[in-house]
Amino acid sequence: MTEQEFAKFAMGLKTYYPRENLLPNRPAMELWYRQLQDLPYEVAETALNKWVSTNKWSPSIAEIRQMCCEVRQGEIPAWSEAWETVLHAIRIYGSYRQQDAMMTLDDLTARTVTQIGGFVNICRSENIDIDRANFHMVYEELAKRKQKDALMPAKLRSAIQKIQSNSMMMLEGREDE
């Protein structure tokens, strides 16, 4: 979003929530713009319109980013819906067509299946209730990570990865001494 588009977005935000002291000065505008500039204007505007239609109070930066993710990607399916797709794939493909079955699963569901032991192991499970419980826990954790990752601007993710990489190199360097 350009600065001009952000100014229009900010004006809409102030207009929708006139009683709140939103973006009261230039430094506040600059800080908010810095945190939202990576978002496409039409996505941010749609997210704001969705927010306004469902919330009484003004959104925070994090809530705007979250709403933008929902507008762009849709909501992450509930774990129970994902589990049903796994069971459906088992019924259709069985354990002998694992690759075909995995292709029918979305990325998050497929990663969860892999982490709890793989598709074939679920097919041959002697206690599907335990697999279901494990799927639930792992899916929820991966969904949280995916959502957090999607909320962060790419520049911020890159900066974090660089810092973590540098920290790992420093730790490895100390071990060699």
Side-chain angles (χ1 to χ4, degrees):
M1 147 171 29
T2 66
E3 284 188 53
Q4 294 80 18
E5 290 170 333
F6 178 74
K8 189 175 174 183
F9 177 85
M11 187 57 65
L13 191 58
K14 288 176 164 190
T15 302
Y16 288 131
Y17 300 100
R19 294 185 192 148
E20 299 181 36
N21 191 20
L22 291 170
L23 306 168
N25 52 40
R26 186 83 183 135
M29 290 279 284
E30 289 171 4
L31 287 171
W32 275 61
Y33 175 64
R34 191 178 330 158
Q35 295 301 319
L36 299 173
Q37 67 184 345
D38 64 306
L39 300 171
Y41 174 72
E42 59 194 40
V43 172
E45 181 182 41
T46 303
L48 180 59
N49 289 334
K50 184 177 177 184
W51 180 272
V52 167
S53 68
T54 59
N55 292 279
K56 293 179 186 179
W57 312 110
S58 64
S60 66
I61 290 169
E63 290 166 327
I64 291 169
R65 295 193 71 83
Q66 183 172 0
M67 191 65 72
C68 285
C69 278
E70 289 174 14
V71 165
R72 271 194 288 206
Q73 301 170 354
E75 292 186 34
I76 294 174
W79 74 268
S80 56
E81 294 173 63
W83 179 246
E84 283 301 317
T85 64
V86 172
L87 295 178
H88 180 74
I90 289 170
R91 284 191 296 274
I92 300 297
Y93 298 102
S95 62
Y96 295 105
R97 293 180 52 204
Q98 173 184 346
Q99 193 170 9
D100 293 336
M102 292 295 282
M103 297 285 286
T104 66
L105 306 177
D106 65 87
D107 182 55
L108 181 58
T109 304
R111 285 179 52 211
T112 305
V113 166
T114 301
Q115 284 198 11
I116 66 167
F119 188 78
V120 173
N121 285 337
I122 296 172
C123 289
R124 297 178 181 161
S125 177
E126 292 183 17
N127 194 338
I128 201 72
D129 291 334
I130 290 175
D131 290 327
R132 181 178 182 265
N134 289 336
F135 182 91
H136 179 183
M137 286 188 317
V138 172
Y139 185 89
E140 291 289 327
E141 185 59 37
L142 291 176
K144 283 180 195 173
R145 283 189 207 163
K146 180 178 179 175
Q147 188 172 31
K148 272 188 177 180
D149 202 38
L151 291 174
M152 281 193 278
K155 279 184 174 179
L156 179 58
R157 280 195 309 270
S158 178
I160 291 170
Q161 286 174 343
K162 183 177 177 184
I163 290 168
Q164 290 172 347
S165 174
N166 289 342
S167 294
M168 288 302 292
M169 287 191 305
M170 287 175 57
L171 287 173
E172 289 170 1
R174 287 186 187 150
E175 289 178 4
D176 293 336
E177 292 177 5

